[in-house]
């Protein structure tokens, strides 16, 4: 199992743990959807500050982690770290649930051979995330704009923000960065699922008792899932960081083409790709 639609490693492994527990109890697909949706809600609330900081770092030339945190605090105090929470919840709760349902419905597909099974997991994860991400993309656009601090007039209700984008920019505004979002979400989700499914048994052999007479505690089982999720999320985030940065630029700057986004990214990064990876890997969205 795994987690969410927007893409933060912590959100993903939280959902993995909940879905694994549901699967062990032979739960119906609706249980997986409820587990994923609950994980999406909790993780969105807890981790929204990291998403806000990530967005500010990606958009501001030369901004480091400390300066981004200080800028958010100056702009709106502690509550500013939860800017964009409403669209984040609106995207994550149904998105994660739908993602889990898709994975559960296709879990019976078995391929022989390690590489074949890895390819199956890659495709299942990528298609599920891409499909859910495309349906909920307007919430992603609104979330990025509210996190950026550049659109204070979106502080009304969730639907007012979406209506304003639709009225002034049409469908093009609501679905800005569709290709880049897919290029970020699909590889991220596929890679996460592949790595997670293979690291979890490995960590279990290392940390859990081998004897059936010594059943492992739920805490240790959770630790195995968390460790596998962290490892998988870190690797997937590092590999998909460039399209994520481009997506943020396109979705927060009106009428920005991919070429202009690339130019802005080159100017902002200035050869600091490795440093940029290290600063924002933990909050990819």
């Amino acid at each position: 199992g795994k987690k969410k639609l927007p893409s933060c490693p912590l959100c993903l492994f939280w959902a993995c743990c909940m879905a694994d527990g549901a699967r062990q109890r032979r739960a119906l697909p609706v249980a997986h959807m409820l587990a994923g949706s609950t994980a999406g809600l909790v993780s969105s609330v807890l981790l929204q500050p990291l998403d806000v900081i990530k967005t500010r770092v990606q958009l501001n030339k030369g901004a480091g982690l400390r300066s981004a945190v200080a800028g958010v605090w100056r702009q709106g105090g502690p509550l500013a770290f939860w800017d964009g929470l409403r669209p984040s919840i609106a995207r994550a709760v149904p998105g994660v649930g739908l993602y889990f349902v898709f994975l559960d419905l296709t879990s019976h597909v078995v391929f022989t051979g390690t590489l074949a099974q890895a390819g199956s997991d890659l495709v299942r994860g990528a298609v599920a995330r891409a499909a859910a991400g495309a349906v909920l993309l307007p919430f992603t656009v609104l979330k990025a704009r509210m996190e950026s601090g550049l659109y204070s007039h979106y502080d009304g209700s969730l639907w007012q923000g979406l209506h304003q984008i639709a009225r002034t920019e049409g469908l093009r505004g609501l679905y800005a960065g569709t290709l880049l979002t897919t290029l970020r979400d699909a590889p991220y989700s596929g890679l996460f699922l592949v790595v997670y499914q293979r690291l979890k048994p490995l960590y279990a052999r290392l940390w859990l008792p081998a004897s059936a007479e010594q059943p492992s505690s739920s805490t240790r089982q959770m630790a195995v899932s968390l460790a596998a999720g962290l490892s998988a999320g870190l690797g997937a985030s590092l590999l998909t960081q460039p399209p994520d940065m481009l997506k943020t630029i396109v979705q927060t700057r009106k009428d920005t083409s991919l070429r202009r986004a690339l130019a802005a990214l080159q100017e902002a990064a200035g050869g600091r790709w490795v440093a940029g990876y290290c600063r924002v890997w933990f909050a990819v969205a």
Side-chain angles (χ1 to χ4, degrees):
K2 166 195 167 227
K3 160 70 180 109
K4 128 178 174 156
L5 166 94
S7 55
C8 153
L10 295 175
C11 304
L12 287 171
F13 70 61
W14 185 305
C16 286
C17 296
M18 298 188 70
D20 285 344
R23 185 175 295 109
Q24 290 170 4
R25 294 188 298 271
R26 301 181 181 272
L28 297 173
V30 66
H32 292 279
M33 184 171 186
L34 291 174
S37 296
T38 302
L41 173 62
V42 175
S43 59
S44 293
V45 174
L46 294 179
L47 302 174
Q48 183 61 24
L50 300 183
D51 270 343
V52 172
I53 296 169
K54 180 213 66 170
T55 299
R56 300 295 180 93
V57 171
Q58 290 180 337
L59 290 176
N60 294 286
K61 178 181 179 180
L65 183 61
R66 183 178 300 178
S67 61
V69 171
V72 175
W73 184 274
R74 285 195 304 268
Q75 190 170 38
L79 292 181
F81 289 96
W82 278 268
D83 284 347
L85 178 61
R86 285 170 293 178
S88 179
I89 292 174
R91 179 195 66 164
V93 171
V96 180
L98 291 173
Y99 180 89
F100 268 119
V101 167
F102 181 88
L103 291 183
D104 184 72
L105 292 176
T106 58
S107 62
H108 64 280
V109 179
V110 178
F111 295 86
T112 57
T114 303
L115 291 179
Q117 186 60 52
S120 170
D121 290 340
L122 182 67
V123 172
R124 287 171 57 217
V127 172
R129 179 89 176 242
V135 172
L136 300 168
L137 190 63
F139 295 109
T140 302
V141 174
L142 182 60
K143 173 179 179 291
R145 292 189 179 188
M146 294 180 71
E147 290 172 351
S148 70
L150 303 174
Y151 297 87
S152 58
H153 53 286
Y154 288 158
D155 289 341
S157 71
L158 182 68
W159 303 111
Q160 285 177 341
L162 293 174
H163 179 264
Q164 185 167 357
I165 296 175
R167 181 171 54 83
T168 58
E169 303 172 54
L171 288 177
R172 181 178 181 181
L174 288 173
Y175 288 90
T178 300
L179 176 61
L180 290 169
T181 301
T182 303
L183 291 176
R184 191 279 308 265
D185 285 353
Y188 179 93
S189 232
L191 290 169
F192 181 96
L193 187 61
V194 168
V195 177
Y196 176 83
Q197 297 281 37
R198 278 138 194 86
L199 284 183
K200 188 179 178 184
L202 175 62
Y203 291 165
R205 288 195 296 270
L206 293 175
W207 298 341
L208 298 181
S211 174
E213 298 178 356
Q214 296 178 321
S216 57
S217 66
S218 58
T219 301
R220 298 188 70 174
Q221 292 177 352
M222 177 73 74
V224 168
S225 296
L226 295 183
L230 276 173
S231 302
L234 172 58
S237 296
L238 291 173
L239 293 174
T240 58
Q241 180 62 16
D244 184 60
M245 296 182 74
L246 288 171
K247 175 194 75 70
T248 301
I249 293 172
V250 169
Q251 291 178 340
T252 56
R253 300 181 183 179
K254 297 179 180 179
D255 300 322
T256 298
S257 64
L258 179 57
R259 180 177 298 180
R260 291 177 182 175
L262 285 168
L265 181 59
Q266 182 179 8
E267 179 184 1
R272 294 179 292 107
W273 287 96
V274 175
Y277 278 171
C278 294
R279 285 201 306 270
V280 299
W281 71 264
F282 53 81
V284 171

